[in-house]
Amino acid sequence: MTIRLPDGNGGFKAYTPRTEPLAVSPGTPLTSRTVFSAAHVVADPFADVSPDSPAAVDWDATLAFRRHLWSHGLGVAEAMDTAQRGMGLDWAGAAELIRRSAAEAKAVGGRIACGVGTDQLTAPATASLAEIRKAYEEQLALVEESGAQAILMASRALAAAARGPEDYLEVYGHLLRQAAEPVVLHWLGPMFDPALEGYWGSSDLDTATETFLAVIAAHPDKVDGIKVSLLDAQREIDIRRRLPQGVRCYTGDDFNYPELIAGDEKGFSHALLGIFDPLGPLAAEAVRVLDTGDVKGFRELLDPTVELSRHLFQTPTRFYKTGVVFLAWLAGHQSHFTMVGGLQSARSLPHFARAYELADGLGLFPDPALAETRMKNLLSLYGVTQ
C-alpha cells in the first residue's frame, strides 16, 4: 500500500509507509548525559483568535506531552524557542506555561528548566538597560518561585540596547549575582532569531565568544552550564574545552548533535535540543546505549536522525517549530495540526511530505497507520488525490 507524495519538483512519487514503529519504551534513568528536550506547546484549535491575539493553549494536551518526555527519562526545557516563545507565545502565556509545567514536573518527579527573558517589555527596541535588567529579574523570580532551574535566554531588547561587550558583562553579572541557584546561559544565534544578530557585543563570533566566556569566568559558581545554538560544531567544541571546571556544555546544535554528545578524548556535550521533541523516545534510548559505554551503538541509533533534523531546521531555521508540531500531530500526541499564531502555514506541502517520509522511515510514529491517514487528510486539503 503506497501514499502519493509531492516530490518537491512539481511532481509526485509513491511512498510505501512502514507498518511497525521502532520498538522503544520507557526505561532506566539516563546517567552519562543530562538531556533536555525543548518542548512545543499545543494550541487550542477551538479558540476564536487571530494571529495578533494572545496564545490560546490546550493545557491538557501540552502537559500530557511533557509527561511523555519525562516518562522516557528526558528533562523538559520549558518556555523556550520550541514553545514559540516570541513567535506566538507572549510572556503572559509563557508565565502560565512555566507555572503549570513546573507543578506537573514536581508531581511526577520530572526534571525541568525554564526560559528567562525580557519579552514582557512593551517597547523592546527602545528599552534601557535598567528596564532590561528589571524584566529579566521579574522572570527569574517567577522561575525560581516555581521550583524550576532557570535558563537565561538571549534578549532581543539587550541586543538592541547594548553599546558593546561591557553592557553584556554588566547585565549578566547583575543577574548571576542575584540567581539563587546555578543557571544555564543560552546563546541563540541569528539563524533562529534575526533580532539577535551581534549578541555579546559583536557580529564577529570570535569576539563574541570571548565576551561570553568572560561572563562565565567571572561567575563560575552561578553557571550550571551553557547552551550553544550556533549550528557550528567546531565552535561549540572550542568553547566546551575552555569552560571552567564543573560548567557543562549543553549542545543546541540540531545539525551535529550525535558527534557532540558522543564527544571525544577531551570531553563531551550534554543536550538541550528542539529536535529531541519529535525524537524523544529514540534519543533517550540512544543515550541509554551510551550509558553502557557503547559509543558505536549510540551513533548507529542517532546518526540516521540527522537528515530529518536538518530538514526540519532548514532555512528559514526559525520555522522549525512548524515541522515539530506537524510530527507531533502525526504521532498522535495531539488531535490537530494548529499552532499558536497560525504558524502551521510557515512551511510548504513538499516540506511536510518529506518530513513525514523521513520520520516514518525512522519508525517515529507509534501508530504508522494513524500517521498515514493524517498525512493523506492533509494532502487532500491541498487537492492531492490518492
Side-chain angles (χ1 to χ4, degrees):
M1 194 73 172
T2 63
I3 179 171
R4 188 166 173 253
L5 298 175
D7 62 9
N9 297 309
F12 294 87
K13 64 180 179 180
Y15 172 70
T16 303
R18 65 186 291 162
T19 57
E20 296 293 334
L22 183 69
V24 175
S25 58
T28 57
L30 311 182
T31 57
S32 65
R33 305 290 189 271
T34 300
V35 181
F36 289 97
S37 166
H40 74 280
V41 293
V42 182
D44 179 355
F46 304 113
D48 186 11
V49 297
S50 70
D52 297 327
S53 302
V57 177
D58 181 337
W59 294 112
D60 289 342
T62 293
L63 294 176
F65 187 76
R66 280 135 183 81
R67 290 193 296 272
H68 156 73
L69 295 172
W70 284 319
S71 75
H72 285 276
L74 301 168
V76 168
E78 189 57 277
M80 302 290 290
D81 188 56
T82 309
Q84 294 182 244
R85 186 80 177 265
M87 288 186 69
L89 187 72
D90 61 10
W91 167 237
E96 184 65 14
L97 180 62
I98 289 167
R99 293 187 192 97
R100 289 176 181 253
S101 291
E104 195 73 16
K106 185 177 181 179
V108 303
R111 183 165 188 164
I112 188 168
C114 299
V116 170
T118 63
D119 45 328
Q120 74 271 49
L121 291 168
T122 56
T126 58
S128 67
L129 291 179
E131 291 170 328
I132 292 167
R133 285 195 302 269
K134 184 177 179 181
Y136 264 130
E137 288 170 350
E138 176 189 353
Q139 296 198 16
L140 178 62
L142 184 144
V143 169
E144 291 185 337
E145 287 167 6
S146 76
Q149 184 178 18
I151 302 171
L152 293 187
M153 302 168 65
S155 163
R156 293 173 180 172
L158 183 54
R163 295 159 297 180
E166 65 280 357
D167 287 338
Y168 289 90
L169 291 167
E170 190 279 325
V171 170
Y172 277 90
H174 176 82
L175 294 169
L176 290 171
R177 286 189 293 271
Q178 285 196 326
E181 300 291 339
V183 308
V184 176
L185 296 181
H186 186 191
W187 185 356
L188 190 69
M191 68 288 292
F192 290 95
D193 187 342
L196 299 177
E197 178 66 42
Y199 212 74
W200 304 109
S202 177
S203 293
D204 179 80
L205 289 180
D206 290 339
T207 302
T209 295
E210 294 306 315
T211 303
F212 183 53
L213 289 170
V215 169
I216 299 164
H219 307 276
D221 59 322
K222 288 296 187 74
V223 181
D224 163 72
I226 62 167
K227 169 175 158 51
V228 183
S229 298
L230 299 175
L231 304 183
D232 183 339
Q234 190 57 53
R235 182 168 297 278
E236 178 176 321
I237 292 169
D238 292 343
I239 292 172
R240 185 174 77 195
R241 290 175 178 173
R242 296 177 62 188
L243 293 175
Q245 185 70 28
V247 176
R248 310 182 205 197
C249 180
Y250 294 93
T251 186
D253 188 333
D254 299 275
F255 283 6
N256 304 292
Y257 50 92
E259 65 189 80
L260 292 165
I261 297 170
D264 55 30
E265 69 282 357
K266 295 183 179 180
F268 58 83
S269 295
H270 300 271
L272 197 165
L273 289 161
I275 192 57
F276 280 6
D277 178 303
L279 293 183
L282 191 158
E285 181 66 19
V287 174
R288 287 192 185 91
V289 171
L290 187 60
D291 290 345
T292 68
D294 184 358
V295 177
K296 182 175 181 288
F298 165 79
R299 295 295 297 267
E300 286 175 348
L301 278 172
L302 212 54
D303 282 0
T305 69
V306 172
E307 185 178 4
L308 171 64
S309 188
R310 290 186 175 224
H311 177 73
L312 297 183
F313 283 77
Q314 68 184 221
T315 304
T317 303
R318 63 188 180 277
F319 293 126
Y320 76 87
K321 282 83 77 173
T322 300
V324 165
V325 176
F326 170 67
L327 294 181
W329 172 57
L330 294 185
H333 294 298
Q334 53 195 80
S335 61
H336 58 86
F337 179 35
T338 305
M339 298 177 68
V340 298
L343 205 63
Q344 67 272 13
S345 65
R347 294 294 200 189
S348 68
L349 183 62
H351 180 89
F352 293 135
R354 184 59 178 157
Y356 163 74
E357 183 179 354
L358 290 171
D360 180 72
L362 291 168
L364 295 185
F365 302 130
D367 184 344
L370 173 66
E372 180 183 351
T373 297
R374 289 184 169 182
M375 187 68 224
K376 286 180 176 177
N377 288 340
L378 180 67
L379 289 164
S380 71
L381 291 176
Y382 284 80
V384 179
T385 57
Q386 297 297 320

